[in-house]
Amino acid sequence: MKNLVKTTLLFFVAVAVFTACSKDDPTPEGPEASEYTKKVNKFIYEAMDDVYLWYDELPNINYKYETDSKAYFNKLLYVDDKWSYITDDVDALEASFEGTEKTYGWSLAFGRFSNTGNIFGIVEYVYPETPASAAGIKRGDLLIEMNNADINDNNYTDLLYSDNIDVTLGVLTGDGIAADTTIRLTSSVLTLDPVLTTNIVEHDGRKIGYIFYAQYISDFNSSLDNAFASLVNQGATDLVVDLRYNPGGTISAAKHLCSCIGPLDVVNDNSILVTYKWNKKYQDYFIDRQIMSQVEVYFDNQVPVKMGLEKVYFLTGSGTASASELSITGLRAYMDNVTTVGDTTFGKYTASITLKPEDYYSEEYSEEIANWGLQPIVLRYANAAGVTDFKDGFAPDIPVYDDLFATFPLGDKNDPLFKAAIEDITGTPVVAMKSVPKVHFEYQIFDRGFSRYDQNKREMLIEQIQRPE
């Protein structure tokens, strides 16, 4: 990945260093940090003072006396910034952005039983050819014990992050939940294609195409092309894109998806998909030099498959974030009929970039603090109609509860969200052909995830930044 600081180093490092040296150091408090920590802290400060969206709001903290680099980074964040991130394993973070994970292959929601307070996991979906799929785990399966003990607040994320695990499945009965089989799983490092499911449902004379998209990864744009080509070849008249668990990813993947969907005149004219607003230093630099590729993102008229639609349906949930929301709002500027079905989205209207020590310092210096990385917010975006700052997310046009205790396979017309979209498209009901067990206890879903980097995948990623002359 070619990142922004490398491409703008000639202009902005001088600004950052000058600014850092010109500020009055605050009165030190406490012991001085180690030389190693001071080097990490210096990198943090100079990167944030350079490219952070709210660089002019950085507090005046003497990094030489900050003994915990991660805590120091968090002290620098603007009050409204709930997204910027620091890591001491940037290689693993970047691999995750590219679809490579150490994983069991399942995405889980976590709930709490009202009567006991114990925690359970319930499967949202499973990637094929993973440890979970090999064990026969499927969407809707219930996980009630881990390593022969209760799942609790202190250990539930082990279901995502641990190297190996014994997990006990639960089954619904008339009296509640009973323990079923116990399965041993060992996580594997896998590269996962985010286009899991493509399907056509014929209903009331319409051929409704369905795509489940788990994450925006540019390296898998060809998988999107194959999915759209399949739908077109089967004569799809309508499109439903399932983003209910999609945390986002790269802007270039969102651009690709939108270009496959949008009206032909909009795509063929390379119309503006979204505009960027950087911090004042960067925005002024790009505008003064008319480097418009750094402040505008355009549809791509070179995508292999163009459906040229006038309407599209997106299935959404609280996990729908970042590039998913960009796709929704970007298309809404040009399409009167972009309908969301499900729950309110996450609310992420900013983008970030991965910064590493070598982006700022010599190889010898950066080697000493290698594998540290920052994921700071560097811009906010708006669609072509100026819509931005949707911090509360997008409320669904058609509210539907995603009941994981009453699941159907993704792409099945009985799935409540997909069913509602089909009925809105055709105006005729989908008659349920299957039944599911009823839940006779109270519970609350409080968290969900697939990866230890889920939070960071909500950081919509900037790619292919042009080097200023």
Side-chain angles (χ1 to χ4, degrees):
M1 180 186 300
K2 187 179 182 183
N3 75 42
L4 178 144
V5 167
K6 288 180 181 176
T7 62
T8 58
L9 192 61
L10 294 175
F11 178 74
F12 284 114
V13 165
V15 174
V17 173
F18 176 80
T19 305
C21 294
S22 66
K23 292 182 178 179
D24 293 333
D25 285 341
T27 302
E29 294 183 6
E32 191 166 338
S34 68
E35 291 303 311
Y36 173 84
T37 301
K38 281 192 281 189
K39 287 183 176 181
V40 176
N41 293 351
K42 179 182 178 183
F43 158 60
I44 293 169
Y45 175 77
E46 293 186 353
M48 295 289 278
D49 192 47
D50 175 31
V51 72
Y52 188 46
L53 180 60
W54 299 282
Y55 81 102
D56 54 351
E57 299 284 347
L58 292 176
N60 194 16
I61 300 172
N62 191 330
Y63 65 74
K64 296 178 182 178
Y65 295 88
E66 294 294 318
T67 57
D68 183 330
S69 294
K70 291 183 179 179
Y72 168 61
F73 174 81
N74 289 326
K75 289 179 182 179
L76 297 180
L77 299 184
Y78 183 63
V79 64
D80 289 339
D81 182 4
K82 57 183 179 181
W83 307 293
S84 292
Y85 180 78
I86 184 171
T87 180
D88 56 6
D89 192 0
V90 72
D91 291 341
L93 175 65
E94 290 188 310
S96 176
F97 288 146
E98 295 167 1
T100 300
E101 303 274 0
K102 188 170 187 180
T103 179
Y104 296 114
W106 56 25
S107 180
L108 303 178
F110 298 103
R112 197 183 308 277
F113 297 113
S114 299
N115 58 339
T116 66
N118 288 343
I119 290 172
F120 62 86
I122 191 164
V123 179
E124 295 174 333
Y125 64 89
V126 177
Y127 279 94
E129 300 180 12
T130 60
S133 66
I137 303 293
K138 62 186 183 304
R139 174 169 162 80
D141 279 350
L142 189 62
L143 317 177
I144 60 172
E145 289 185 357
M146 179 172 55
N147 298 328
N148 298 312
D150 289 338
I151 304 171
N152 57 50
D153 287 287
N154 297 321
N155 67 15
Y156 76 89
T157 56
D158 289 348
L159 289 166
L160 300 176
Y161 307 158
S162 58
D163 292 331
N164 52 72
I165 201 169
D166 290 329
V167 61
T168 301
L169 302 183
V171 292
L172 293 177
T173 70
D175 298 322
I177 295 175
D180 195 14
T181 56
T182 296
I183 299 172
R184 163 147 290 215
L185 295 173
T186 299
S187 61
S188 298
V189 177
L190 302 168
T191 300
L192 303 170
D193 187 333
V195 184
L196 267 71
T197 303
T198 306
N199 190 27
I200 286 272
V201 169
E202 296 190 36
H203 187 71
D204 196 29
R206 311 290 295 181
K207 288 189 174 183
I208 301 165
Y210 170 91
I211 296 175
F212 179 87
Y213 193 35
Q215 183 184 340
Y216 286 76
I217 305 175
S218 302
D219 288 347
F220 289 97
N221 283 348
S222 59
S223 294
L224 283 175
D225 296 334
N226 292 337
F228 283 112
S230 174
L231 298 183
V232 170
N233 290 338
Q234 294 179 72
T237 56
D238 304 272
L239 177 65
V240 177
V241 182
D242 195 339
L243 302 177
R244 75 184 91 172
Y245 310 124
N246 190 317
T250 61
I251 288 178
S252 56
K255 170 180 176 176
H256 197 91
L257 177 73
C258 291
S259 300
C260 294
I261 295 172
L264 285 179
D265 60 333
V266 172
V267 177
N268 288 337
D269 288 346
N270 292 122
S271 302
I272 292 173
L273 178 61
V274 293
T275 59
Y276 294 158
K277 185 174 182 180
W278 304 77
N279 72 31
K280 188 176 188 305
K281 290 185 295 186
Y282 276 79
Q283 192 76 7
D284 288 351
Y285 182 80
F286 293 139
I287 294 297
D288 288 349
R289 289 157 180 79
Q290 286 296 288
I291 308 174
M292 301 312 294
S293 62
Q294 303 306 292
V295 292
E296 296 175 345
V297 177
Y298 312 99
F299 285 87
D300 179 9
N301 64 13
Q302 298 302 307
V303 293
V305 182
K306 303 174 192 173
M307 291 195 74
L309 299 176
E310 296 297 331
K311 66 177 181 178
V312 64
Y313 286 73
F314 289 105
L315 307 186
T316 62
S318 60
T320 305
S322 186
S324 295
E325 293 170 303
L326 183 147
S327 300
I328 294 167
T329 191
L331 288 171
R332 275 182 169 165
Y334 298 100
M335 300 169 70
D336 293 333
N337 219 333
V338 176
T339 303
T340 54
V341 181
D343 204 349
T344 301
T345 64
F346 182 77
K348 176 71 163 51
Y349 51 88
T350 56
S352 66
I353 193 166
T354 307
L355 305 179
K356 295 180 283 188
E358 56 261 40
D359 299 324
Y360 284 87
Y361 307 115
S362 66
E363 180 177 353
E364 180 180 359
Y365 186 99
S366 59
E367 275 293 319
E368 297 182 42
I369 54 173
N371 222 17
W372 281 90
L374 308 182
Q375 198 71 36
I377 295 301
V378 297
L379 61 84
R380 67 177 70 233
Y381 70 86
N383 73 3
V387 175
T388 187
D389 291 0
F390 44 87
K391 63 180 180 179
D392 297 323
F394 295 120
D397 298 304
I398 304 173
V400 181
Y401 178 56
D402 186 22
D403 186 355
L404 292 171
F405 281 98
T407 59
F408 294 89
L410 295 169
D412 189 305
K413 67 179 181 180
N414 294 287
D415 170 73
L417 275 70
F418 190 26
K419 176 176 177 286
I422 294 170
E423 292 176 340
D424 196 69
I425 290 168
T426 63
T428 59
V430 174
V431 179
M433 301 299 293
K434 306 175 185 178
S435 61
V436 294
K438 301 297 183 183
V439 173
H440 299 291
F441 54 86
E442 293 185 0
Y443 67 92
Q444 180 182 15
I445 301 295
F446 68 92
D447 199 2
R448 62 166 305 277
F450 164 74
S451 161
R452 69 178 65 238
Y453 297 110
D454 279 339
Q455 176 181 348
N456 312 106
K457 290 175 182 178
R458 298 187 187 114
E459 308 288 358
M460 191 164 55
L461 304 177
I462 305 295
E463 298 178 307
Q464 300 176 343
I465 305 303
Q466 178 182 338
R467 181 188 296 276
E469 298 295 335

